[in-house]
Amino acid sequence: MIGIMKINRARRNLLKIAGTAAVAIVGAMAPARAGGGDDEGPCFLRGTQIRTPDGYRAIETLKADDKVATRFAGFAPIKAVYSFTLNRLGGEWVGASRPVRIQRNSLGEKMPAQDLCLTAAHAIVIDDVLVPIVNLVNGTTIVFETAQCHDTLDFFHIELAKHDVLDVQGAACESLLRPSAEPCLPMMSFNGGRSELKSRLRSVLSLAVDRRQPLDIIRDTIEERGLAL
């Protein structure tokens, strides 16, 4: 007997295929880590809490040589903190720096412990791989932030000596990754709308034969958790 979860997964992905296909046809969905314009890549919104030896601190209060909790280097000193201001264009937030809000508990119990806002290109760690958060937007627990009352938003990077994973409000998020640097974990991402469309189709077909790839499973699992929440 086909499980209810599989049926619901197929229905959910069928509903999303039309929108994904339309975006893919017009080529409006850029690769997840593209930049340009005001885009400054993967960053955290002002006020985001980063774990340090003294507990969590707002990212804008951190500076070079302060230590932060990392997955691979323990409490590691910050090399530099950078900031930029994202401007709303034509009434919308656009590009790789478009803000995405992760609702509390979206990724697991207290992961994050409170709502977390990242730029779309920012990667989080799920199942020991890095996934740009834009690939996990589901319309329920992970959504594009509207920030209707703001025309600008302040974002901050944390650069370490080596790329690593930070404890950010209980969620595992990457530090700044320079283009020439090696990521600390494998990176998985949909390469634009056509790639996401194929992923959605695999999830639909899993009703009969499950040939989903790891990123498909990660996305489906988080979406199912979101519906349960």
Side-chain angles (χ1 to χ4, degrees):
M1 182 179 291
I2 298 173
I4 296 298
M5 183 175 292
K6 285 186 176 181
I7 293 173
N8 289 339
R9 179 193 306 146
R11 287 174 177 169
R12 183 179 66 251
N13 281 282
L14 277 171
L15 289 173
K16 293 189 176 183
I17 280 174
T20 303
V23 170
I25 289 170
V26 300
M29 183 176 290
R33 299 183 73 83
D38 282 330
D39 290 340
E40 296 288 344
C43 308
F44 302 102
L45 183 66
R46 176 184 291 275
T48 299
Q49 301 291 308
I50 310 294
R51 187 180 166 216
T52 74
D54 301 316
Y56 287 94
R57 287 177 53 186
I59 190 168
E60 65 270 19
T61 70
L62 298 173
K63 61 185 185 302
D65 296 326
D66 287 346
K67 291 187 177 181
V68 290
T70 71
R71 177 169 179 171
F72 298 106
F75 286 106
I78 294 173
K79 180 179 179 180
V81 177
Y82 305 98
S83 66
F84 80 99
T85 298
L86 179 66
N87 297 292
R88 191 190 292 273
L89 298 175
E92 301 292 338
W93 308 108
V94 298
S97 293
R98 184 178 182 183
V100 174
R101 180 169 296 277
I102 308 173
Q103 182 179 303
R104 177 176 178 269
N105 297 328
S106 296
L107 310 175
E109 186 65 25
K110 296 184 179 180
M111 297 170 56
Q114 55 186 308
D115 287 8
L116 172 62
C117 190
L118 312 173
T119 50
H122 207 129
I124 63 171
V125 178
I126 301 288
D127 295 343
D128 288 328
V129 297
L130 290 158
V131 181
I133 193 61
V134 69
N135 292 284
L136 302 177
V137 170
N138 56 28
T140 54
T141 55
I142 302 178
V143 299
F144 289 113
E145 175 63 71
T146 58
Q148 294 287 2
C149 298
H150 299 272
D151 290 324
T152 62
L153 293 172
D154 295 330
F155 285 92
F156 296 79
H157 310 264
I158 289 180
E159 184 176 14
L160 305 174
K162 291 185 178 180
H163 188 236
D164 213 319
V165 179
L166 303 167
D167 180 342
V168 183
Q169 299 176 189
C173 303
E174 67 171 338
S175 64
L176 179 63
L177 177 61
R178 293 293 185 184
S180 59
E182 287 293 322
C184 62
L185 289 168
M187 184 76 70
M188 289 186 180
S189 177
F190 298 126
N191 186 25
R194 289 177 177 81
S195 176
E196 184 179 357
L197 176 59
K198 291 178 181 178
S199 170
R200 292 288 181 185
L201 288 170
R202 286 191 296 269
S203 290
V204 171
L205 294 174
S206 69
L207 189 65
V209 179
D210 196 345
R211 294 181 177 173
R212 290 176 299 162
Q213 297 178 5
L215 183 52
D216 308 335
I217 295 171
I218 289 171
R219 184 210 50 226
D220 287 344
T221 299
I222 291 175
E223 286 190 351
E224 287 157 9
R225 178 178 178 82
L227 292 172
L229 290 174

